[in-house]
Amino acid sequence: MKADKIFKNAKIFTSDKNNPQASALVVKDGKFVYVGDESGLSEYEGEVTDLGGKFIMPGIIDSHVHVTIPVGYEYADMGERIEPNGKQEALDMMAKYIRENPGEKRYRFILEKKFLKGEDIVKEDLDAICPDAELQIQEGEGHSIWVNSKILERHGITDDTPDPIPGLALYVRKDGHVTGNCIEGAAETPIIFDSSIDLTDEQVDAALKRWIDFSVEYGVCAVFDAGLPGTSQFHEKVYKRLAELDKQGKLPVYVDGSLVVNAERDAKEGLNEVKRFNREYDTEHLKVHTMKIFMDGTQKIHTAAMVTPYVDVGTTGATAFSAEGIAELLKDLNEAGLDLHLHTVGERASRTVLDGFEMAKKEMGNSLKVRVTCAHLEIEDDSDLDRFAKLGVIANFTPWWHSDDPRESARWLGDERSRKQFRCKTLWDTGALVAWSSDNIAFGDFITWNPYLGMEVGMTRLRTDKTRVQEYNRTAAVFPPEDERMSIEEMLLGYTINGAIQLGIEDIKGSITAGKDADFLVFDNDLLTAEKEGFSYNKPKDVYFGGKKVN
Ligand SMILES: [Zn+2]
């Protein structure tokens, strides 16, 4: 048989459990036609490359990342980052900046809540330093914002404005009055993102080009885009450009898209929109078949939904959907042939999804085909750990997060629970399908988008001075539990075939298997035996997407 490319004398990690190792592969018309040992090559003619023992693996799949949010952030001025010592210093720093930069329409700052040392900012504080212009302070994680009265007025937010999702997406109130602190869904567009709607096609393309170049350089061949809450208009604008770039042959990354639905009451309308996206965005490398739901928020601002209350504030947070709501939604998604992906940080968020799935499964049995993925899974109740495997719910982790100082989260989780986070190995060993991701929301320098960083921290639960990561992201000790550290083989499988199963593309991608797309990476060194600390410095020498060398 005439083939396009023949590679021999390689060490191939295939991610194919029926044929885990190979030394030769043959590519024809963008697909693998042979994967095995060299004795099988005699049937093929074509350009032969002797790889001299080099390591080959399938193209990487990042199964939870944000493609559209960062395009907006590329052009949105988020403002000055401040690191004060307490509230008064924060106000002084902002007042000084405002004095030195008079005449701006809106002043913007970024501030991590921890710098307030337990105090909170209210709109009266901000009105005092900025009475005549708009002032916003985005919390470092991007899940909440403080604004002054001018911004509340412009967006028509008063004491009578209902919370978007009570207990989860809300305007913080004191004695019935809004304080200017807006949480989760209440902090989103148009407050943060309103300027991005007007970007030109050229501006969107330029941002996407930066991301495509990164993906190609690092061998990320497919991603799940976990959506953009708050503005489906801007989200769709980026998908339009992705579809256009694909038609022009300029999208050498497979993008599995999604559309965010905010609350249970929006489910029916949201479903129709996902169906429309599914019809309208369907090019070779762009598909949309998934609804995305933010079930809860984050631990730091106590919006992650818990089974056991936060030890510092005594609350448990709330979920965007009830278990019954999830069960109902699964019936509709099943009928439409669509899938479901959920942001689930706290114990109660994932439990509610598992409960809903169980209800739907009881009623529908094996006719329930929806692929359901719970992402982040920072903390799980012990009694839920084996339910993912039993029910067939996919577990998605962001391994570069799996290193932290548990003393910080002990403030709200207590000592014992803070040392039982990110239990990915336990889930893996129950037989659950575990996939890995990077979950970034801004392009920046792409440091934390690097899948080899995820692999390193997944294996070590440490970020040392040998790790390719920003200095402030380094940690001094292994993040407990130590036995949740993964092997390199588990990291590679979770970044390839398991991600493909989550995306529903395991028939065409995710492993080096005859008949699948020839997405594969060639490394000078052997990743299976590479040093774990510093693994984040790995990078492929050659990247093939659909049989074509793209890097
Ligand atoms: Zn995300």
Side-chain angles (χ1 to χ4, degrees), residues 83 114 400 403-404 445 447-448 453 462-476 537:
E83 297 189 358
K114 66 178 179 194
W400 78 267
S403 176
D404 219 332
D445 52 16
I447 292 262
T448 54
L453 171 66
L462 252 182
R463 296 185 293 247
T464 71
D465 53 7
K466 289 187 189 156
T467 309
R468 184 167 171 247
V469 74
Q470 302 91 338
E471 192 146 349
Y472 62 84
N473 267 325
R474 296 201 173 125
T475 46
Y537 280 92

Side-chain angles (χ1 to χ4, degrees), residues 87-97 99 129:
K87 170 179 165 175
Q88 192 52 52
E89 196 175 305
L91 295 173
D92 292 346
M93 287 166 104
M94 291 186 286
K96 180 166 181 278
Y97 180 92
R99 265 198 316 276
I129 60 169

Side-chain angles (χ1 to χ4, degrees), residues 64 66 226 292 376 439:
H64 179 118
H66 297 269
K292 165 76 188 292
H376 313 318
D439 192 21

Side-chain angles (χ1 to χ4, degrees), residues 64-66 69 226-227 292 294 341 343 375-376 398 401 439-441:
H64 179 118
V65 73
H66 297 269
I69 299 176
K292 165 76 188 292
F294 285 84
H341 189 105
H343 167 114
H376 313 318
T398 301
W401 296 352
D439 192 21
N440 289 293
I441 58 161

